[in-house]
Amino acid sequence: MKAHELRGRSTEELVTELEDLKENLFNQKARGILGQLEDTTLLGKLRKDIARVKTILRARELESESQT
């Protein structure tokens, strides 16, 4: 997922996406513990996607604070 794709989404969509990514990361970690994880790079990709979403949400938060 690219940052420019995320910036086009609304804040509500980003919050929902963040929750989905966190749940997916949890499930993939559990699969890794059980030895069922096929793509080990998926965990890193999910963590980076979570960081991207959080960064955009924080930037919007700071932007709205500076406007008031």
Side-chain angles (χ1 to χ4, degrees):
M1 177 173 332
K2 301 284 184 179
H4 65 85
E5 295 172 359
L6 294 172
R7 286 188 187 99
R9 296 185 184 184
S10 69
T11 303
E12 293 81 21
E13 289 175 332
L14 288 175
V15 170
T16 304
E17 181 72 23
L18 181 61
E19 292 171 0
D20 291 342
L21 287 169
K22 285 183 177 181
E23 184 177 339
N24 193 1
L25 179 62
F26 176 80
N27 291 335
Q28 295 302 320
K29 282 183 178 181
R31 289 184 70 196
I33 291 170
L34 297 173
Q36 299 173 345
L37 188 61
E38 297 161 359
D39 183 12
T40 56
T41 63
L42 184 60
L43 296 176
K45 291 175 185 176
L46 287 171
R47 282 194 296 266
K48 287 181 182 182
D49 286 342
I50 289 170
R52 282 186 190 103
V53 172
K54 283 184 172 184
T55 300
I56 292 169
L57 287 172
R58 180 67 177 147
R60 288 184 182 178
E61 181 182 324
L62 291 175
E63 184 179 302
S64 67
E65 287 177 5
S66 68
Q67 291 177 356
T68 57

